[in-house]
Amino acid sequence: MSVGLIRSLVPAGPGHQFVLYGDSCSGVPGALHERTFAAVNAVLRRLDPPPEFILFPGDEIIGLTPDPDELRAQWRHWLDHEMAWLDRDQTPLWHTTSNHTTYDEMSERIFREVLRLPENGPLGQEGLSYWVRRGDLLLVFVHTLWTGLGGEGHVETEWLEATLRAHADARHKIVLGHHPVFPVNGYSGTYQREIGHEYATPFWDILVEADVLAYVCSHMLAFDVQVHRGVLQLCTAGAGTAHRMPEGVEYLHCVQAALDAEGLRYQVLDTDGLVRERLQWPFKPVGTSRELSPGLHDVGFGGLKGADYIVQLKITGHMADGSYAPAQTLFSLFDSHSAAKLWLGLRGPRQTLTLVLGRDPGRSPHYWFGPDLSPGKALDIDIALHAGMGPGGMLYRMRADHGWSSFCGASATGLEHTVWPERWSVGHGQGGAADRPFMGSGLSIKVGYKC
């Protein structure tokens, strides 16, 4: 295994380059997580050039102790031993609160005492919620488990909205908190796995209205990226906690990122220093597209595979006048000897936009769900299938939408292992004209792709 330098992504012109990682649950000398955290740090220390700053969205230490002296000792070991390699004056390290570190009033007090973060947050949350401004970049750190509101999963929003408005001139805005807003890899539960569900819509409305680039979180032991109404949710929780959600798919990692006038680019590095995932956001639209005529066709996308391709579909037409519950096909890809590798259409009495991804023979397919479509209305949908975004890479955009949104699903993987077959159909399934036909009219699909 090579232990040489790892080339960092850098801005093209003015910008920022930094590292994101979270959830090490360490702070105990000789414990397992001290070793796993060290393995991730060894990769981070190989970055050339090194990051300008580091963002750590929580769970630095194992915490969860009622003993304040033990909690302080864990923080001291984490800061003075495990992170002793980092010159925090040269490379600032900013943290969010989390369930392992701020689980009661005592631990909130010690978090403030040990980390001494900016005290510009809302009343009662000084040193817990705060903001940092670096030129054209605004970083806002929210406390997603404030005891003053009820504890885990409870988050203040008025101060967040006011802070984003006060810094409306910032070209780039990133909000960070420990808990996701949207489920990751199918793991879901209000207050425990995401912020309280009553907060989710108003919280995300604030981010959308303020043109925030991304909400960065951790907590779920995975790397995950998805987008909702044009705002990314980026979950990085692989800094050392020796569990995965799920095992066999997720891995220990850190994320190195660059931000400039073109947007965000990142690379996700595992403990061997290998790039496991990467993204440029916003992604560049595909070039030339062609129209797919209704019916069955024998020549499709010729073995398109890997994690670097994007397929875009422009779907127009008109919905049938009445609600129709049976499945209606818009587009499908298949081999003659197996069920569809990919099926896109409408299902159920609410005519829900649905994408079904076939897996190995004999295994159940995976489902992703978009919006419900109204009878008798014009159909005008953009679809993007982004293999580099994992399960968040099934995207849709309606004419009136504020940017792309990920379909909702419960899978930990996406298109990255799919090999596109040679046959496709438009307006009905692989069985012919009577197989799950589209019941509306004027269906037209244009497709383009890039590798």
Side-chain angles (χ1 to χ4, degrees), residues 200-218:
T201 296
F203 185 93
W204 210 259
D205 285 345
I206 291 168
L207 304 191
V208 172
E209 178 65 26
D211 197 25
V212 168
L213 169 68
Y215 174 67
V216 175
C217 57
S218 56

Side-chain angles (χ1 to χ4, degrees), residues 196 310 420:
I310 303 171
W420 285 51

